[in-house]
Every structure is written in structure tokens, then in C-alpha cells.
Amino acid sequence: MSPAEQSQKKRSARNGWLLSAPALTLLFIAASGPLLIVLVYSFLTPGQYGNVIWKFSLDGWTGILFTRDIFDGTTNLADAHLTIFWRSVKLSLMTTALTFALGFPTAWFIATRPPTQRAMWLFLITIPFWTNLLIRTFAINEVIRNEGLMNTVLIGIGLISEPIRLINTDTAVFIGMAYVYLPLMVLPLFAAIDRFDMKLLEAGYDLYASRMQVLRHVILPIVKPGIVAGSILVFVPSLGAYVTPRVLGGGKNMMIGNFIELQFGQGRNWPLGAALSMALLLIVMAALLVYVRASTKGSNPHG
Amino acid sequence: MTQKVAITAQNVVKAFGQGAAAVRALDNVSVEIAAGEFFTLLGPSGCGKTTLLRLIAGFEMPTAGTILIDGADVTEKPPNHRPVNTVFQSYALFPHLTVAENIGFGLKMQGRPKAEVAATTAEMLELVKLEQMADRKTSQLSGGQQQRVALARALAPRPKVLLLDEPLSALDLKLRKEMQVELKRLQTETGITFVFVTHDQEEALTMSDRIAVMSAGKIQQIGAPRDIYTRPVNRFVASFIGETNFLPVDPSPHGARLSTGDVIAADGDGTVLIVRPEQLRLGPAGVGAGLAAKVTGVVYFGTDIHVNLMLADGTALTARVPSPVDGGADFATGQDVAVTFQPGAARLIRE
């Protein structure tokens, strides 16, 4: 490259930065501003009627795992908090697994339709997004509640005599989240499978692989980026889910999202809520980091 | 025939679609391919050659007929239970695996011991001269290198038969010529039966032990390259393989009577006389025997000159004559010449 070309390249790079500066500034403030407020609040003292008192305190952070006994002032491990964390992680993992189990065949089906039909199938997949999440969740509630559609029909045709009690259980939350987040799994999987060269299936069979071996050694490794993307898109919002556990889990079966909301509402402990939010953010970031590391390991072209 | 038969196809029919709209891609095809043979399926696109290859590989099931590989009926068997491997037109290399892992894939799927997989992979890398590339991803290779990986991958499990689906069509001319030599070398070294699909007649002629010329779902002729070129059985084969002059004739006791009235000695049986352009000799008009013709055009090809001719009755002919050493013109448009046939060059065929 000649010096003239180099200086031209530098100039156009500088112009690019200058031109995008307003947008970048706005984005930076919008993205980091609220986070910064949450971070600061997590180190303050709770006010009596909500809000915060500007006095430094680590109680918000220690409150994540420990509770102080109000009578003797000793600090104990907060079992109730751990139960909520464990339920959140467990339900999110289960949701990710179920959406993958349902989403993979669905995405494969769509990707193998003639190109003219694919748009229609994808359109059908995205239809639920048109309705408010709350409405959809109440619709699920209507289906699975004790006097709901499912139980009425099952009792009506004589399959069961007592209603199946699903509502206000972890299972109800699990079903609800899988329903809500399924499209988020299907779309990235479809994108990955759509790029998959179907000739490779023939190559696999030709080289003595059985159907299961082709799935394991050819299809899954190649569509892995789609699996990782779909899992992240489902797992992350599941972990912070608020509406679904609230509507389908009742008040009892809280997840982290509801627990955080509780601190800003009835709990009147904003620093604890802020600390919980930051902790959730850190957990998600750590999980993503591990995930991305694991998924890029095998595909490094020079590794 | 004492030679072992590698592949037998008996009355194979493959129809795509249903009922009246069904298209017969293969129409009652029977063929025997001998063990150790370099056998080519040659024909224009849509002639059914790739369909036949896919039936042998097991990617498609025949509508009717049977396919035997090494004497065993494999008609109903899926591809992973057939002792054949395919080199795909698009190579279909696994993008997530290295060159070595690609080559070892078949052996690994067969459950061979790790040491054997490694040893055979190394041997195959050497065979296709890619030892330096073993740990590369296939996307980092050139077209010719990818082609060699595809070959090594298909050869590694030592199939009874190697199927090659137009493997050279994506390569540029120079590389294609190199790979033709390479393929022939691999076939000789491994002794494996090769079934090679191509639409390139030159490729077929230079590489094959035997060629099956296909058209419209049927095998038109099977034979050695020389047989097919010199003794085509019908107009399709004659026109598809090389260039040919076709002259309508009437039968005559001494050969064939042209529409100009001249009688030409010819072997074969039929109502069309064929003669290859390079078998025509052009001499000065009015001297000795020969058909009177007028030069209507001269095209310089470097190695030779194509002279377009017209007989007295308007029949068009093309002759190929060697290029003059000094590059000068031997013939000019409008010139009168006498056309003679090389002895034995003219043949009669059916339509």
C-alpha cells in the first residue's frame, strides 16, 4: 500500500468515528447510565419507606446470601434465597433443554421445506410475538388451571377424575417459559440449519455413519453456533423471568426476577434489590463467557 | 468372462414423480462393471448418469431392478451398508473437521481401532501428497487440494468401488488435466474399481478403460474409448463423442450412394454415413478421384484448420487438416477442392 493510500485509509477511519460519535455517545449513556445507578444503589443503606439513604453499606451484597436474625442479631445463610436461586437456574436450564428438544426438529422441518414455504412457516413461528407477553401467559393460565381447558377436556372424556394440579407449581412455570421462549430457540437454529449443506448428510452416510452418528458427528457440530445462540437467547431471559413465574407460579414459587421486584416493592430494600440485579448480571456474564469459550474452542481455524 | 464383476445393474428403472407426470430418469438400464476397471458414465446433463451413480451409492432406491455389488444384492441397503464410497461434485468435505479428520471419518464410523485410523490416514495423506496439510481446516485449502482430500477420504476405507460424480468439473483446465493424470495414477496404484461420471467426452476418452454413453435414461453404447470413437452405433453417440459429418445415403451393392450420386465404400449397416473430420483429405479439384466440393469457410485452431465444405448438392461437411508450418493459408473461401476419405474411415449407422 502506498503512503497516499495509507493516509486516505486513516482519514476515512477517523471520519467514520467522528460521524458515529453522537450515536455512540447516546448508546453509551443509555446502556451504562442505569447500570451505574443500580451499581451505586447496591452499596447504599435502605430507607425506611423505600428509596435509599446516601450512606455506604455492604448490607445489600451480604444480604444476597445471608440474613441477620432480627432477635439475636446473628448472621445465617439465607436458605430461602438459595432456594430461589436454585429454582431459577434449574427452571432456566430445563427450559433451555426443552426448547432445544422441541425447537431442533421444528427448525429442521422449516429449513427442509421448499424455499417458497419457509417464509410462511417462519411467519407462523413469530405470530405469538404479536401478542403481549402478559396476555399470552394468562392464556396459558387459562389452559392449565384446575378448572381450565385442559382439565375440563380430560375430565370430560373420562381420562381423569380429579383435575391435574399444575397451576402455581414449578412445572407450570417451566411449561410457560418453554412456550414463551420457544421461538427464540427456533429462529437461530433455523438460521444455522438453513446454511447447513445437505450434501454432508450423504457424505456421512456414504462413509458408513448411521443416522445417529450423522446427527452426532456431522449435524450437531456444524449447527453448534445456532445451538449456542438459541440457548443463550432462551437461558438469559429465563433466568430473569418475571411475568411467567408471577402469573403461573403464584406468589410462592418465586424466581430471581420476582425476588428482585419484591425488594423494590413490599420489601423496601432497594440496595438488596440492586445487589441482586448486579449479581444476576454477573452470573449471566460468567455463564456467557464459559459458553462462548467452549463453543469457539473447537472451531478456531488456527488451533 | 473370467474377470470378476464389481457391479451389476439389472433392468434398473428409476422414475421421479407419480403417475402420468413421472419422469423416467433411468429406463431399463443393465450394465456390468468389472473389478479393477476405470468405468465412465458419459452423457449430457439429464441423461441419467448421476442417477445411476446415486443408485449404486444407495442415495436413491430404484423403482425397479436390482443392483449387485461384488456379487451381493444391495438394492435395499442404505449407503452406510454398501462397500462403496463417493467423491462428490461439490466435494462435501466436513467443514468442522481437519484434513486428517475428514480422511479418517469413514474408518472412525466403521469403528476401526484408533491406531489403524491414524496409520491409514497418514498413508492416504501421502498418497494424495497432502502430508503438510493434515491439521488444516478444509476451508483453508485450494480447490485442487480439497479435491484430493475428497479423494483420500473416499479411498481411506478401501471401498470395493469408488464412485466419482463429475469430480473435476469445478477445477480450471490446467488443474483438471493434472487431476486426470492423478486419478488414473490412484486407480492403478490402489487397484480399486472406479465408476466415473462426466459430461466431458475428452475426459472420458483419455481416462477410461470402458465408457457407457448415456442419453435419455438409456445406455446407448458400452465399449472401450477407441471402439466408441471409431465405431459409434448411432447418431447420438457419433455426435456426442467428437465431431462427425453425417451424410444421408442410399444402400448400394458397393457401399453407399451419396445424394450427389457418388458411391463410397463403407462398413456397417444403416442409412447414414458418418466420417470424422480428421479422416477427410482435401486435394486440388479435378485431379484424381474425390468428391467435388467448394470451401465455404476456414477456421484456424492452432493445432489444425477446420475447413467448411459444401458438396455439389448442398450437403455441408467439415474437414480438419493439419496446420501449415508457416501459419499460412492453404485454403481460401470459394476455392474448389476434391474430398477423399481415408480408407475405412466411412461407416454406416442407423439413425
Side-chain angles (χ1 to χ4, degrees):
Chain A
M1 213 188 288
S2 75
E5 279 174 316
Q6 263 170 3
S7 79
Q8 191 200 9
K9 206 167 184 193
K10 260 187 202 159
R11 208 164 42 240
S12 75
R14 197 180 55 224
N15 285 346
W17 276 108
L18 274 175
L19 285 170
S20 45
L24 286 176
T25 312
L26 196 67
L27 270 175
F28 182 74
I29 292 171
S32 59
L35 265 181
L36 220 59
I37 294 173
V38 174
L39 183 67
V40 170
Y41 272 29
S42 72
F43 290 107
L44 296 177
T45 310
Q48 201 173 355
Y49 304 105
N51 215 328
V52 286
I53 296 166
W54 283 82
K55 202 179 120 206
F56 178 81
S57 161
L58 280 174
D59 285 356
W61 286 92
T62 51
I64 294 174
L65 289 178
F66 302 99
T67 49
R68 180 166 291 139
D69 196 298
I70 49 169
F71 297 113
D72 58 14
T74 54
T75 317
N76 297 310
L77 208 59
D79 293 342
H81 298 191
L82 290 180
T83 312
I84 291 170
F85 296 152
W86 169 237
R87 178 185 297 121
S88 297
V89 172
K90 184 185 72 181
L91 284 178
S92 302
L93 286 175
M94 283 167 63
T95 303
T96 309
L98 182 66
T99 50
F100 176 70
L102 295 172
F104 190 81
T106 310
W108 187 272
F109 173 83
I110 298 174
T112 49
R113 288 314 93 191
T116 48
Q117 289 177 22
R118 275 180 226 165
M120 183 199 67
W121 285 108
L122 286 175
F123 171 76
L124 289 177
I125 290 286
T126 54
I127 277 186
F129 282 134
W130 298 11
T131 316
N132 183 287
L133 172 63
L134 200 57
I135 311 281
R136 275 185 285 155
T137 313
F138 273 111
I140 293 252
N141 186 343
E142 188 56 35
V143 173
I144 64 174
R145 72 193 167 92
N146 291 354
E147 303 82 30
L149 185 69
M150 183 185 75
N151 281 315
T152 315
V153 169
L154 287 179
I155 291 172
I157 60 174
L159 264 177
I160 51 171
S161 52
E162 287 282 300
I164 302 172
R165 297 190 189 282
L166 265 182
I167 199 71
N168 298 347
T169 63
D170 281 0
T171 314
V173 178
F174 170 51
I175 292 173
M177 290 206 300
Y179 162 72
V180 168
Y181 296 123
L182 182 61
L184 296 179
M185 178 64 89
V186 171
L187 295 178
L189 277 179
F190 166 79
I193 296 171
D194 192 38
R195 281 195 306 270
F196 180 79
D197 178 5
M198 294 293 163
K199 274 272 164 212
L200 296 178
L201 296 185
E202 288 188 351
Y205 292 133
D206 189 63
L207 292 161
Y208 311 108
S210 63
R211 295 172 84 87
M212 282 313 289
Q213 282 176 317
V214 167
L215 180 68
R216 203 178 131 220
H217 295 288
V218 180
I219 300 171
L220 290 182
I222 293 176
V223 301
K224 196 161 138 195
I227 299 174
V228 170
S231 301
I232 289 173
L233 283 180
V234 171
F235 181 77
V236 171
S238 295
L239 204 57
Y242 169 70
V243 170
T244 316
R246 179 70 185 268
V247 174
L248 298 175
K252 258 189 6 260
N253 300 314
M254 268 193 280
M255 286 178 62
I256 301 180
N258 311 96
F259 190 51
I260 292 171
E261 190 261 356
L262 190 66
Q263 304 314 319
F264 286 97
Q266 296 159 331
R268 279 177 291 182
N269 193 345
W270 289 20
L272 176 59
L276 281 168
S277 304
M278 292 312 292
L280 180 63
L281 184 79
L282 291 174
I283 293 169
V284 166
M285 275 171 68
L288 285 188
L289 218 65
V290 171
Y291 230 172
V292 170
R293 279 273 169 75
S295 63
T296 50
K297 207 183 216 168
S299 57
N300 182 352
H302 300 286
Chain B
M1 197 154 81
T2 52
Q3 226 173 345
K4 245 181 100 196
V5 177
I7 289 179
T8 312
Q10 285 164 346
N11 308 103
V12 171
V13 174
K14 177 66 186 177
F16 291 103
Q18 295 290 317
V23 177
R24 283 201 161 192
L26 284 178
D27 195 355
N28 207 15
V29 167
S30 294
V31 62
E32 273 196 353
I33 300 171
E37 197 173 24
F38 196 119
F39 191 88
T40 299
L41 299 170
L42 174 67
S45 58
C47 71
K49 58 189 192 296
T50 296
T51 306
L52 182 56
L53 197 80
R54 291 174 61 79
L55 285 168
I56 298 171
F59 301 136
E60 313 266 359
M61 295 291 152
T63 312
T66 43
I67 291 168
L68 306 160
I69 296 174
D70 210 28
D73 187 344
V74 297
T75 314
E76 304 287 324
K77 287 200 174 154
N80 49 332
H81 292 287
R82 296 186 185 207
V84 298
N85 290 125
T86 308
V87 177
F88 294 87
Q89 186 170 12
S90 56
Y91 314 146
L93 298 176
F94 300 121
H96 59 299
L97 301 179
T98 64
V99 168
E101 286 166 341
N102 261 283
I103 295 173
F105 189 87
L107 296 162
K108 197 176 146 197
M109 291 302 116
Q110 284 180 320
R112 305 274 182 88
K114 272 209 171 91
E116 190 195 330
V117 176
T120 311
T121 303
E123 194 187 319
M124 286 298 142
L125 280 167
E126 200 191 325
L127 189 69
V128 296
K129 304 190 182 89
L130 283 175
E131 297 99 319
Q132 311 299 319
M133 307 286 173
D135 297 322
R136 298 271 187 99
K137 289 273 166 165
T138 56
S139 56
Q140 296 170 288
L141 302 182
S142 70
Q145 288 169 335
Q146 290 186 11
Q147 169 70 81
R148 293 215 291 269
V149 176
L151 265 169
R153 185 180 70 173
L155 283 170
R158 299 196 194 288
K160 292 262 167 39
V161 179
L162 187 75
L163 307 172
L164 303 106
D165 184 8
E166 307 215 22
L168 308 181
S169 60
L171 304 177
D172 63 48
L173 184 67
K174 192 164 173 292
L175 209 49
R176 194 153 69 222
K177 297 276 180 209
E178 281 175 29
M179 281 310 294
Q180 286 177 8
V181 177
E182 187 89 357
L183 271 180
K184 197 67 192 163
R185 173 180 74 84
L186 285 175
Q187 199 253 337
T188 319
E189 277 181 27
T190 58
I192 290 172
T193 313
F194 277 34
V195 180
F196 185 84
V197 160
T198 184
H199 62 266
D200 183 332
Q201 44 121 348
E202 189 188 309
E203 216 165 80
L205 290 173
T206 53
M207 297 166 73
S208 317
D209 293 323
R210 280 198 307 156
I211 299 172
V213 184
M214 297 185 66
S215 164
K218 288 190 159 89
I219 292 181
Q220 304 290 331
Q221 185 172 3
I222 300 180
R226 281 160 204 268
D227 290 339
I228 292 206
Y229 188 77
T230 55
R231 286 187 290 280
V233 295
N234 59 27
R235 182 187 273 265
F236 175 81
V237 177
S239 64
F240 192 75
I241 316 271
E243 286 173 69
T244 312
N245 293 302
F246 295 94
L247 300 165
V249 291
D250 291 321
S252 146
H254 307 292
R257 185 188 299 278
L258 295 180
S259 46
T260 54
D262 301 275
V263 172
I264 287 173
D267 289 337
D269 180 23
T271 55
V272 178
L273 183 124
I274 57 164
V275 61
R276 300 285 182 185
E278 68 272 19
Q279 308 287 0
L280 294 179
R281 291 288 171 270
L282 304 182
V287 181
L291 306 172
K294 197 179 269 298
V295 176
T296 58
V298 180
V299 184
Y300 182 70
F301 270 78
T303 51
D304 51 19
I305 296 174
H306 290 203
V307 183
N308 300 322
L309 304 160
M310 191 188 281
L311 298 183
D313 67 334
T315 310
L317 278 181
T318 303
R320 271 165 87 157
V321 297
S323 261
V325 180
D326 60 0
D330 276 7
F331 302 97
T333 307
Q335 188 182 344
D336 285 315
V337 291
V339 182
T340 50
F341 291 17
Q342 295 267 69
R347 284 189 64 79
L348 288 171
I349 58 165
R350 295 199 175 87
E351 262 304 330

